[in-house]
Amino acid sequence: MDIEHFSLPLLAWYDKNKRDMIWRDHFDPYYIWLSEIMLQQTRIEAAKEYFIRFTAELPDIESLAQVSEDRLMKLWEGLGYYNRARNLQKAAKILVDDHGGKLPADFDALLSLPGIGPYTAGAIASMAFGIKAPAVDGNVLRVVMRYLACYDDIAKMSVRKKVEQQILSIMPDRPGDFNQAIMELGEVICIPNGAPLCRQCPIHDTCQAKADGCPEQYPKKAEKKPRRIEQRTLLILEREGKIGIQKRPQKGLLAGLYEFPAWDGELTQENLAIKLKDLGIRPAAIHAMGAATHIFSHVEWHMTGFHIIVDKNETGERLAKTIQFVPVTDLTEKYSMPTAFHYYLKQLLS
């Protein structure tokens, strides 16, 4: 890899073809930081609406530091991986206390903040402050592995560090644009699924995988373990027109968010009625709401939902301790309900 054959044609292509993104129109480090965190697990088009809504209510680091956790989770609802939002706020509070509410123009200082790893620190440092620092994500790894026809396992930290050094060694005087150019190339030309669009690539003349005629073989990845499947029976309890929800534990999957109460396993309507009776709940009616599946990175929830109508005093002592009954409209406007439950939430709203 060298500047003449890789960096310069890549930057020329980027200058001509870069996509419009709201966070690119500003050199606000906060915007860059927020967009990079959102884009870690979210497509660009999907992230735009969240970014606009988020920054309209929390326009700067100080407002992010001060917002309530429930409101923060509501603004983040649908983006998933909710610890990203919590780490944003943790970092914002540190920035307010120690850095005057500003992101520091220093790679190591950025790296020390909660939720900021080498990639995000490199992205902020290069894009916001013009610091020569690599920002190596999956797109960059794929482009480099194909360009060099390298079979090294990109899941290994040693391989990532090697790529970071290679990128740094050929980084021109526009580090922010250069990092974005490689990522953009990986997103729209050197794509992960299907054949890359080599004829449109600005560096295809010197790409070794293109020369070998086998770009789809790169990069090499370790095989993922199969996701664990969990069966769950959801209780959509309704009392006097209000719906029962509870807050999940502060640690673990979907920590601190709101959910419909659930039991492990797949219960039939008959078994559900028996189990409710054992808890001291005598429902006025039980209606099946169908099955839904939600996929997380490491686990799948296979859910069966039941709409259970209960009288005023029919929640049972064990359930009543954790459940609060709220208007249906509050489930969309006030409480953060993860996407996993939206199938049943839509039925309630309709």
Side-chain angles (χ1 to χ4, degrees):
M1 295 176 70
D2 58 53
I3 289 179
E4 181 180 356
H5 293 103
F6 189 95
S7 307
L8 299 183
L10 183 62
L11 274 176
W13 170 84
Y14 178 72
D15 289 338
K16 184 178 180 180
N17 296 282
K18 65 179 178 181
R19 293 170 292 176
D20 291 330
M21 299 178 192
I22 185 171
W23 44 85
R24 281 182 179 168
D25 297 336
H26 305 267
F27 292 96
D28 185 337
Y30 172 60
Y31 274 28
I32 293 170
W33 172 36
L34 177 60
S35 66
E36 287 300 329
I37 297 299
M38 285 187 171
L39 291 171
Q40 285 176 5
Q41 302 289 345
T42 309
R43 293 180 298 103
I44 288 175
E45 290 304 317
K48 285 181 179 178
E49 292 184 11
Y50 288 98
F51 181 88
I52 292 170
R53 187 178 69 209
F54 196 98
T55 52
E57 186 161 336
L58 306 177
D60 51 35
I61 290 173
E62 289 190 2
S63 58
L64 172 59
Q66 295 170 3
V67 70
S68 70
E69 181 181 351
D70 278 351
R71 186 56 189 161
L72 177 64
M73 293 297 100
K74 189 63 182 176
L75 289 170
W76 200 264
E77 183 180 290
L79 278 169
Y81 298 90
Y82 288 84
N83 273 338
R84 290 183 294 165
R86 291 191 178 89
N87 283 329
L88 274 169
Q89 186 170 57
K90 289 178 184 177
K93 291 178 178 179
I94 293 171
L95 293 172
V96 169
D97 291 340
D98 300 339
H99 297 276
K102 305 293 183 182
L103 282 157
D106 180 274
F107 177 86
D108 291 330
L110 290 166
L111 192 59
S112 71
L113 294 169
I116 294 185
Y119 163 76
T120 307
I124 298 170
S126 63
M127 297 176 200
F129 303 114
I131 297 171
K132 285 192 175 184
V136 176
D137 67 353
N139 288 310
V140 175
L141 286 169
R142 182 170 59 259
V143 169
V144 172
M145 292 296 104
R146 285 176 175 172
Y147 188 78
L148 299 175
C150 179
Y151 275 118
D152 289 348
D153 185 354
I154 62 172
K156 294 182 177 179
M157 185 57 64
S158 60
V159 174
R160 182 178 292 266
K161 288 185 177 297
K162 183 178 179 180
V163 171
E164 288 175 349
Q165 291 302 315
Q166 289 171 320
I167 294 297
L168 187 60
S169 70
I170 62 167
M171 186 167 285
D173 291 333
R174 297 166 54 193
D177 286 343
F178 179 65
N179 281 332
Q180 291 182 89
I182 306 178
M183 288 185 272
E184 189 116 330
L185 187 75
E187 289 171 357
V188 301
I189 301 294
C190 200
I191 55 179
N193 300 314
L197 310 178
C198 293
R199 291 184 179 181
Q200 301 177 35
C201 178
I203 54 175
H204 75 272
D205 288 342
T206 52
C207 176
Q208 189 58 51
K210 170 67 167 58
D212 294 345
C214 55
E216 296 94 334
Q217 294 183 14
Y218 305 92
K220 178 184 176 183
K221 296 181 182 179
E223 290 188 11
K224 292 183 178 180
K225 295 180 180 179
R227 283 187 291 266
R228 183 177 73 256
I229 295 178
E230 295 181 356
Q231 302 283 353
R232 309 184 84 227
T233 298
L234 267 58
L235 314 180
I236 294 86
L237 296 163
E238 180 176 341
R239 186 183 70 184
E240 297 184 300
K242 295 182 178 181
I243 302 299
I245 59 173
Q246 62 186 15
K247 199 167 190 177
R248 290 181 61 83
Q250 288 299 322
K251 292 184 179 181
L253 187 64
L254 303 178
L257 303 181
Y258 290 90
E259 67 174 352
F260 299 118
W263 283 324
D264 293 336
E266 182 180 3
L267 299 180
T268 64
Q269 189 162 327
E270 291 76 15
N271 289 336
L272 176 64
I274 294 171
K275 194 164 184 177
L276 288 171
K277 184 178 180 181
D278 290 341
L279 290 175
I281 301 174
R282 292 168 295 179
I286 300 177
H287 304 288
M289 297 184 73
T293 298
H294 189 78
I295 298 175
F296 300 94
S297 59
H298 61 290
V299 64
E300 288 185 26
W301 278 358
H302 292 193
M303 298 172 286
T304 303
F306 291 95
H307 187 186
I308 304 163
I309 311 296
V310 295
D311 294 329
K312 182 177 180 179
N313 298 315
E314 288 289 333
T315 53
E317 291 185 4
R318 286 171 60 185
L319 287 179
K321 292 178 180 178
T322 60
I323 294 175
Q324 56 181 308
F325 284 83
V326 302
V328 176
T329 53
D330 282 1
L331 299 180
T332 58
E333 298 172 3
K334 183 178 179 181
Y335 297 95
S336 51
M337 296 287 290
T339 307
F341 308 115
H342 282 193
Y343 172 80
Y344 299 103
L345 181 58
K346 288 179 181 177
Q347 292 191 54
L348 289 176
L349 294 172
S350 63

